[in-house]
Amino acid sequence: MDDRADNRTTPESSQSATRFLLDDGGVPTATAEIHDWLSRNGVEQQLEVTRVPFSAMDRWAFQPDDGRLAHESGRFFSIEGLHVRTNFGWRRDWTQPIIVQPEIGFLGLLVKEFDGVLHVLVQAKAEPGNINAVQLSPTLQATRSNYTGVHRGSKVRFIEYFNGTRPSRILVDVLQSEQGAWFLRKRNRNMVVEVFDDLPEHPNFRWLTVAQLRAMLHHDNVVNMDLRTVLACIPTAVEPGRTDEVLARLPGDSFQARLLHSFIGAGTSVHNMNSLLSWISDVRTTREFVQRNRPLPDIERSGWIRGDDGIEHEEKKYFTVFGVTVTTSDREVNSWMQPLLSPANSGLLALLVKDIGGTLHALVQPRTEAGGMDVAELAPTVHCQPDNYADAPPELRPAYLDYVLNVPRSRIRYDAWHSEEGGRFYRNENRYMLIEVPSDFDADDAPDHRWMTFDQITCLLGHSHYVNIQLRSIVACASAVYTRSDG
């Protein structure tokens, strides 16, 4: 049997997972104090971002051979052309700009027990594209160009605990994808590492309990994308004999308790893991998906306009790319220039959940995106920019979009706005929703979707190329729903 079908972790990892579920230590969430800390860091880091023409970007230029926009070092990332052909979806042949960043970076979270309570070390990090400038980020958030010193700046803090230089205990270590619509086959190494050293204090870093961190996911644009994806990768399997202890934390008939029940694998699933893996493999086999790198000027054949002030689509849809100059008082380097990608409008990422046979299931879809690594990854039920479909006929609108847009408030179990990665995207804000549908909700009219328990989704998160960044974010947000945060 394929070892990927085993949706249970090792005894050691399930023991660690149980600590993440239980060890909030009754500590109050202190959200106001965390907001104050972020605000102070925003003032102290003095981030300023100014849009500039491409011709004014120092050390960046359009290359003479294929027109790509690249750094003179050949590192960091570039903006290139990509042609895509597929046999699935409403658009089946197009060319677009894409971010090419072949390096694999670190997204790492350090954890440590204090007085028997598990804490995580988060960073107040300023990024040029961030809403609110400074957001909570992982302990380590660095590209290979950054941590190898291509920028000729200061050393990246705490890298030694993730590259094996300092003793530590690895709890999570998996390569995960980033936004396939805008990155070409981009991956980062998501890690959670337990340390036993006394770490040096720094004003930009702070220890939070797991409950405190998850509580911040109820606030708009506070927890950045990189921290959300790492949180999602933390396994939720429970040590044998402790299931009742974990479930006893919440009232048995509450949505929170039923959600936790689904996360820890205490119920029965509609589809077993082997059948789900077979479904994913079948999609990847039958969907045609061909990517071809193209010279950047070729994008003009698909309605893209390339000028000195930016790259945008003639219909004002999708996204634009433009240059910025950035200054800040507290990064590895204090000033630089770079391109940023700015979506034309906000996205909607909604996950429908339903009680089936006493166990909550989530309705997911295999989504194919221009820059994807392996044809398709699992995505939320609804994953789109609704404004792009404002005038589309019903047959071209995403499945369940209209249901989500008109759902009664009483059905919404989670609703918040979160930013995407501020190092590459400018003020990219999406609405994340968790919606419980009634028992008579019929999903048979969308054959490209499947019901999965949260335990099955988190099982796949232990492997690469199964769950996309947006679904990982919703999984992290769902953990905030079942986590007790009232102290």
Side-chain angles (χ1 to χ4, degrees):
M1 184 176 70
D2 189 331
D3 64 356
R4 295 171 301 174
D6 181 6
N7 66 341
R8 293 295 181 271
T9 53
T10 64
E12 180 180 87
S13 60
S14 66
Q15 182 181 21
S16 298
T18 306
R19 288 190 297 158
F20 279 100
L21 292 170
L22 289 176
D23 283 352
D24 59 21
V27 180
T29 55
T31 55
E33 183 180 347
I34 297 169
H35 278 295
D36 289 344
W37 174 64
L38 288 171
S39 297
R40 291 194 303 272
N41 270 275
V43 173
E44 293 166 1
Q45 295 189 37
Q46 300 176 344
L47 180 72
E48 293 186 9
V49 181
T50 305
R51 184 167 174 170
V52 297
F54 290 134
S55 58
M57 289 176 60
D58 184 36
R59 306 183 72 186
W60 289 83
F62 292 101
Q63 304 304 299
D65 53 350
D66 60 3
R68 72 188 185 282
L69 179 60
H71 192 265
E72 66 179 14
S73 67
R75 303 291 294 275
F76 300 108
F77 64 97
S78 58
I79 307 296
E80 304 185 17
L82 180 71
H83 175 256
V84 179
R85 186 180 76 249
T86 181
N87 62 354
F88 181 83
W90 68 280
R91 292 181 64 208
R92 302 194 173 195
D93 192 298
W94 74 94
T95 304
Q96 67 168 79
I98 196 94
I99 301 172
V100 178
Q101 188 174 344
E103 304 175 345
I104 295 177
F106 279 108
L107 302 178
L109 190 63
L110 292 183
V111 302
K112 183 179 180 180
E113 283 195 8
F114 293 92
D115 298 325
V117 178
L118 198 65
H119 288 65
V120 296
L121 185 62
V122 299
Q123 178 182 179
K125 190 175 182 68
E127 293 281 13
N130 275 357
I131 295 174
N132 300 335
V134 174
Q135 296 187 10
L136 294 177
S137 77
T139 318
L140 176 64
Q141 179 182 318
T143 67
R144 181 175 177 81
S145 291
N146 290 143
Y147 69 77
T148 58
V150 174
H151 51 44
R152 291 176 281 187
S154 58
K155 178 186 174 184
V156 174
R157 293 184 180 91
F158 303 116
I159 181 69
E160 62 272 17
Y161 291 99
F162 298 93
N163 63 12
T165 306
R166 294 284 299 177
S168 59
R169 179 188 180 206
I170 297 175
L171 304 181
V172 173
D173 192 355
V174 60
L175 296 179
Q176 296 288 9
S177 62
E178 305 242 334
Q179 284 84 352
W182 303 321
F183 277 116
L184 181 61
R185 306 187 196 105
K186 177 71 175 73
R187 297 179 297 169
N188 276 321
R189 188 176 178 182
N190 288 231
M191 299 184 70
V192 178
V193 174
E194 186 171 10
V195 294
F196 308 95
D197 294 346
D198 292 326
L199 303 185
E201 294 186 1
H202 189 281
N204 293 0
F205 292 80
R206 184 184 182 115
W207 291 103
L208 301 179
T209 67
V210 176
Q212 287 174 337
L213 177 54
R214 286 176 171 161
M216 300 310 295
L217 285 163
H218 290 286
H219 300 259
D220 294 345
N221 299 309
V222 172
V223 180
N224 81 356
M225 180 204 80
D226 299 299
L227 183 49
R228 297 196 304 270
T229 178
V230 177
L231 281 174
C233 293
I234 296 171
T236 55
V238 178
E239 292 174 84
R242 301 193 71 181
T243 299
D244 291 343
E245 178 187 359
V246 171
L247 291 175
R249 301 167 65 248
L250 297 165
D253 59 347
S254 67
F255 176 79
Q256 289 85 350
R258 291 184 289 123
L259 181 61
L260 181 59
H261 180 269
S262 181
F263 261 100
I264 66 176
T268 303
S269 58
V270 172
H271 305 287
N272 64 40
M273 189 59 75
N274 281 335
S275 67
L276 291 168
L277 288 169
S278 179
W279 167 60
I280 295 169
S281 295
D282 185 64
V283 168
R284 290 172 172 175
T285 303
T286 57
R287 283 190 190 177
E288 179 184 25
F289 183 58
V290 181
Q291 302 162 311
R292 292 284 185 268
N293 292 83
R294 302 299 303 164
L296 188 58
D298 281 9
I299 64 175
E300 297 171 5
R301 300 175 186 173
S302 292
W304 291 89
I305 301 169
R306 186 169 60 107
D308 193 34
D309 288 333
I311 301 169
E312 64 178 359
H313 196 268
E314 62 186 7
E315 296 179 358
K316 306 297 182 184
K317 291 183 177 180
Y318 313 119
F319 59 87
T320 61
V321 180
F322 51 80
V324 296
T325 180
V326 185
T327 60
T328 181
S329 62
D330 197 352
R331 285 286 292 267
E332 292 83 16
V333 293
N334 291 332
S335 64
W336 69 93
M337 292 184 171
Q338 69 169 89
L340 286 175
L341 185 152
S342 178
N345 43 65
S346 298
L348 175 62
L349 302 159
L351 188 64
L352 303 186
V353 299
K354 180 181 178 180
D355 190 313
I356 304 176
T359 302
L360 273 183
H361 287 66
L363 189 62
V364 301
Q365 60 166 315
R367 181 175 174 85
T368 298
E369 296 187 296
M373 174 72 73
D374 198 5
V375 182
E377 291 186 328
L378 298 181
T381 319
V382 175
H383 178 154
C384 68
Q385 293 175 313
D387 288 355
N388 288 342
Y389 299 91
D391 301 321
E395 65 271 15
L396 294 183
R397 292 174 67 80
Y400 307 112
L401 172 59
D402 293 321
Y403 178 87
V404 170
L405 293 176
N406 297 287
V407 71
R409 187 72 195 174
S410 61
R411 287 285 167 191
I412 300 174
R413 303 294 180 254
Y414 179 89
D415 190 0
W417 292 83
H418 293 299
S419 307
E420 304 308 316
E421 210 275 301
R424 298 293 177 266
F425 309 128
Y426 184 74
R427 297 184 177 276
N428 178 18
E429 184 183 42
N430 291 318
R431 185 182 184 185
Y432 285 85
M433 302 179 71
L434 191 65
I435 298 169
E436 185 177 14
V437 300
S439 58
D440 60 354
F441 181 86
D442 186 4
D444 292 341
D445 57 349
D448 295 311
H449 291 66
R450 288 288 189 280
W451 292 106
M452 296 180 66
T453 67
F454 282 91
D455 173 55
Q456 291 174 323
I457 297 172
T458 56
C459 165
L460 292 181
L461 281 170
H463 307 276
S464 304
H465 311 150
Y466 280 104
V467 181
N468 77 1
I469 180 66
Q470 291 84 0
L471 182 52
R472 296 199 304 273
S473 279
I474 292 188
V475 168
C477 294
S479 74
V481 176
Y482 72 66
T483 299
R484 185 179 63 195
S485 59
D486 59 2

